[in-house]
């Protein structure tokens, strides 16, 4: 397929048929056994299950997305999370393969029995939701500790603030703006900018 913008990427990024040859080449390059791909929750990038592993193939520049920026940020965040004592998937490979386009990729372990938090959260009792929120707060407190080296930005904070401000109470929106300005001066501090139900 030819990639020439976001619509062209949207047409293929969930296609097992389109990504199987590339995924096979990546697994071969890394000396890992390839297992036929299966779908996982879609996001912006091509994410598939391969047996007991997950392969995430980031969008190349021709897609209209900055996959290299996301890849660099996610790789650094996973290293930081591990150093901070947060349970996170083991990374088997983090590199780039050049086919017709340059595709950064991560191969990670699949966390068995995991479920997206969104649908599960809505079925929890109030007490279970409160316990889940406390667990998330504890995890984020660890995640937000100073990193050993500067972390690459994973998203445009102005755009993120604009998007979130539309969904928040005005008081929270103002607080978000202040935090966004403070975060720009703290390159050693990681802030997860996309804590959605599908990312938990």
């Amino acid at each position: 397929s030819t990639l020439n913008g976001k619509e062209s990427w949207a047409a293929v990024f969930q296609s097992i048929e389109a990504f199987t040859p590339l995924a096979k080449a990546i697994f071969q390059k890394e000396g890992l056994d390839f297992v036929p791909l299966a779908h996982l929750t879609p996001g912006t990038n091509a994410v598939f299950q391969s047996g007991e592993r997950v392969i995430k193939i980031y969008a190349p520049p021709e897609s209209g997305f900055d996959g290299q920026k996301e890849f660099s940020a996610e790789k650094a965040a996973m290293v930081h999370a591990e150093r901070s004592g947060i349970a996170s998937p083991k990374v088997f490979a983090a590199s780039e393969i050049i086919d017709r386009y340059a595709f950064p990729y991560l191969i990670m372990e699949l966390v068995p029995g995991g479920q997206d938090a969104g649908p599960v959260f809505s079925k929890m009792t109030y007490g279970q939701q409160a316990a889940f929120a406390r667990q998330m707060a504890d995890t984020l407190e660890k995640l937000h500790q100073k990193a050993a080296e500067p972390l690459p930005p994973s998203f445009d904070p102005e755009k993120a603030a604009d998007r979130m401000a539309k969904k928040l109470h005005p008081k929270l929106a103002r607080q978000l703006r202040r935090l966004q300005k403070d975060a720009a001066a703290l390159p050693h501090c990681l802030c997860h900018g996309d804590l959605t139900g599908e990312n938990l």
Side-chain angles (χ1 to χ4, degrees), residues 11 20 48 70-71 76 78 82 86 112 151 155 159 168 176 180:
T20 290
F48 302 99
E70 287 186 47
F71 165 75
M78 292 184 82
E82 185 179 359
I86 296 169
L151 295 158
F155 62 96
K159 285 183 184 175
L168 296 173
L176 178 67
Q180 179 253 320

Side-chain angles (χ1 to χ4, degrees), residues 12-195:
V12 297
F13 82 108
Q14 293 182 64
S15 171
I16 288 174
E17 182 182 358
F19 278 95
T20 290
L22 184 61
K24 277 184 176 177
I26 291 169
F27 274 77
Q28 183 177 15
K29 175 186 170 201
E30 298 295 342
L32 299 169
D33 293 332
F34 177 77
V35 176
L37 302 180
H39 284 116
L40 289 172
T41 304
T44 302
N45 300 293
V47 184
F48 302 99
Q49 179 178 345
S50 175
E52 295 182 358
R53 296 187 174 100
V54 172
I55 181 166
K56 185 168 186 176
I57 301 171
Y58 293 80
E62 294 82 0
S63 69
F65 293 99
D66 193 347
Q68 181 62 52
K69 183 178 180 180
E70 287 186 47
F71 165 75
S72 298
E74 190 158 1
K75 184 172 81 166
M78 292 184 82
V79 168
H80 177 60
E82 185 179 359
R83 288 178 180 166
S84 301
I86 296 169
S88 55
K90 177 182 176 183
V91 176
F92 296 105
S95 190
E96 180 181 77
I97 191 166
I98 298 176
D99 186 45
R100 186 174 178 184
Y101 306 100
F103 294 96
Y105 63 84
L106 282 173
I107 301 176
M108 304 162 277
E109 72 174 327
L110 177 72
V111 178
Q115 295 177 281
D116 289 354
V120 175
F121 189 80
S122 64
K123 294 174 186 168
M124 289 179 181
T125 65
Y126 176 78
Q128 290 170 325
Q129 289 178 340
F132 180 81
R134 282 192 295 273
Q135 183 183 1
M136 279 307 307
D138 290 345
T139 300
L140 289 173
E141 190 174 343
K142 290 179 187 175
L143 190 66
H144 293 162
Q145 298 302 310
K146 184 177 178 181
E149 59 261 347
L151 295 158
S154 60
F155 62 96
D156 182 329
E158 281 288 338
K159 285 183 184 175
D162 287 343
R163 191 177 71 224
M164 289 302 297
K166 293 173 187 173
K167 299 178 181 182
L168 296 173
H169 184 279
K171 187 175 180 180
L172 284 172
R174 286 193 298 273
Q175 184 179 11
L176 178 67
R177 291 279 184 203
R178 284 196 302 273
L179 288 170
Q180 179 253 320
K181 287 178 183 174
D182 292 344
L186 297 169
H188 288 77
C189 179
L190 186 144
C191 177
H192 195 304
D194 201 16
L195 282 177

Side-chain angles (χ1 to χ4, degrees), residues 2-15:
T2 298
L3 295 176
N4 53 12
K6 293 181 179 179
E7 286 186 18
S8 64
W9 179 251
V12 297
F13 82 108
Q14 293 182 64
S15 171

